[in-house]
Amino acid sequence: MDASAPSSAPPLIDPFQRRISYLRVSVTDRCDFRCVYCMSEDMTFLPKADVLSLEELDRLCSAFVRLGVRKLRLTGGEPLVRRNIMSLFRGLGRHIKSGALDELTVTTNGSQLAKYAGELREAGVRRINVSIDTLDPAKFTAITRWGKLDVVLDGLRAAREAGLTVKINAVALKGVNDDELDRMVAWCGDEGHDLTFIEVMPMGDIGPNRLDQYLPLSLVRSRLSEKWTLEESDYRTGGPARYMTVKETGGRLGFITPLTHNFCESCNRVRLTCTGTLYMCLGQDDAADLRAPLRASDSDTVLDGAIREAIARKPKGHDFIIDRRHTGPAVPRHMSVTGG
Ligand code: SAM
Ligand code: SF4
């Protein structure tokens, strides 16, 4: 069945009466960066044979769209390093054109944006998230281990020329970028980008102790309030960020606070890995294999049943804690598996 056809399927509702309308898909676990909070220096990636083809990813995403998902975000690893990834964006863009999907978007480190910004826009993408934790080129390379800030800034220019709206994501890192957060607010105001700060989450073994990286956003917010007038805002993007408006710049400033303020009660999303494993919560281990039902038959009946069964198991929320007694990962997988 064509997912762009009007659907009479009942919506996906979890046991806590939350409607699942947002799917995030990690299209690859690989990346051209090795950010210190996300990956260890020596990562073992999945064998290519385990990874779903782009056609299979399209079929899976389209099944979710038919079951009522209205927003799709492709992420990773770095989504734009997957070979021929634009064919997936173009394919999924048909659901934007048909009206079955409200938004097709991407979270990227920006390294390939100069190449792809125009094609993303043509495929139907309008807003993108670009992760930049610092505006200092040396620090940028230290955090990402392999990245170059000027390449990402070229990518941002290409995005602007292509007419894409950019939101910057920055992970707040103690002793690393905490002296720069003011500067980032000012820069995003000047460039016209929304900005979201994220608390570091205890996912995967990354080498260093998480407690050394963790900077509570409650502290960031009170420090920023000394310099900026932060006004409450009811702006929402369907994600977990809570937004303020920076009066002096007019820009929006979001805070994603999985540690200091748990937002699970309004969770509307599930996450698919590039092997077809569905995680119903970023911070829990329970998962459902959708690859076997996908491959079991060309009809989507078995697949739809597996998706519904998985949603019926969505847990209430995560249990992230970082303190002196909890310095290790809450879940063993890295953020790059489920895509942030
Ligand atoms: N490679 C792309 C990027 O960096 O934007 C997409 C995938 S990345 C895993 C998605 C987001 O997760 C990025 O904004 C990144 O900074 C964030 N992230 C990665 N590991 C994290 C962690 N342990 N805690 C909080 N955010 C994390
Ligand atoms: Fe790659 Fe994104 Fe993880 Fe950095 S945060 S290592 S860019 S997947």
Side-chain angles (χ1 to χ4, degrees), residues 132-149:
I132 300 181
D133 305 315
T134 173
L135 293 167
D136 175 317
K139 233 191 245 183
F140 186 86
T141 298
I143 294 174
T144 59
R145 293 195 181 104
W146 296 358
K148 294 221 169 6
L149 181 64

Side-chain angles (χ1 to χ4, degrees), residues 91-135:
L92 294 173
R94 72 186 182 280
H95 301 309
I96 295 281
K97 291 198 183 89
S98 76
L101 197 60
D102 295 330
E103 191 166 30
L104 173 62
T105 180
V106 61
T107 300
T108 173
N109 65 23
S111 69
Q112 312 297 314
L113 254 186
K115 188 165 151 198
Y116 289 133
E119 284 183 70
L120 286 170
R121 168 90 199 181
E122 278 165 29
V125 175
R126 293 292 175 266
R127 297 190 308 146
I128 63 173
N129 288 358
V130 181
S131 304
I132 300 181
D133 305 315
T134 173
L135 293 167

Side-chain angles (χ1 to χ4, degrees), residues 261-282:
H261 174 255
N262 182 310
F263 39 67
C264 301
E265 72 280 357
S266 58
C267 185
N268 59 354
R269 66 195 50 199
V270 287
R271 296 173 154 87
L272 187 68
T273 74
C274 60
T275 55
T277 302
L278 188 74
Y279 283 93
M280 287 73 84
C281 174
L282 182 64

Side-chain angles (χ1 to χ4, degrees), residues 26 29 35-45 76-77 202-207 210 282 329 331-340:
S26 175
D29 64 331
C35 301
V36 292
Y37 49 78
C38 179
M39 294 192 180
S40 63
E41 198 150 13
D42 303 313
M43 291 290 289
T44 309
F45 294 110
M203 300 189 63
D205 187 2
I206 44 127
R210 288 281 180 196
L282 182 64
V331 289
R333 60 184 188 278
H334 292 89
M335 186 69 106
S336 47
V337 174
T338 36

